[in-house]
Amino acid sequence: MADIVYIDQEDGKKRVMNNGKLYAKLLGKFKDETRLEPVFAALEAGNYEEAQGLAHTLKGLTANLSIKDMNEKIVELEAQIKAKSIDSRIMEAVKASFAATLPEIEKVIAENA
């Protein structure tokens, strides 16, 4: 089984002209400011439009920061929101990926401080 790539640091740094400090700063901001609860609250309230917008924003953030595993799961979640057919397993997968990504972000920040 292949190792899960939570963060592709090499790709992420390329997106900011190989500036490791800037990349670490952006990851720190993502870690400090990103919340999943609004997406799930919108879904629970049946507000698919809001949930889709929030998921789309997360998809962009995770793609731009090369947060690979979470991005894959958010892409699937957004597709399910668009179809208005949410499988609770994808929500759990997003939560689990986010939780697993946070310590990886800390490592990248420490390496680029």
Side-chain angles (χ1 to χ4, degrees):
M1 185 165 119
D3 289 333
I4 296 173
V5 176
Y6 290 103
I7 299 173
D8 183 341
Q9 188 174 170
E10 184 178 322
D11 184 59
K13 284 182 184 177
K14 283 180 187 175
R15 294 171 180 269
V16 292
M17 300 185 300
N18 291 313
N19 184 334
K21 286 188 185 279
L22 176 58
Y23 184 57
K25 180 180 176 180
L26 294 170
L27 284 173
K29 186 172 173 135
F30 175 85
K31 178 185 72 73
D32 293 342
E33 297 179 8
T34 301
R35 301 291 175 262
L36 301 177
E37 295 83 13
V39 178
F40 300 134
L43 286 173
E44 286 180 22
N47 189 340
Y48 290 100
E49 187 175 327
E50 180 182 351
Q52 184 179 342
L54 293 166
H56 185 77
T57 298
L58 281 174
K59 181 177 76 172
L61 287 169
T62 55
N64 286 328
L65 293 171
S66 299
I67 301 173
K68 301 294 187 176
D69 184 67
M70 189 172 169
N71 180 260
E72 291 170 8
K73 290 173 176 56
I74 293 288
V75 166
E76 178 60 29
L77 176 62
E78 185 184 26
Q80 289 184 14
I81 293 169
K82 284 180 182 178
K84 295 183 179 173
S85 177
I86 314 300
D87 182 337
S88 63
R89 290 177 291 189
I90 193 62
M91 295 189 335
E92 292 306 315
V94 169
K95 289 177 190 175
S97 181
F98 183 62
T101 298
L102 295 178
E104 297 299 317
I105 287 174
E106 291 293 337
K107 287 180 192 174
V108 174
I109 291 170
E111 291 171 9
N112 292 281

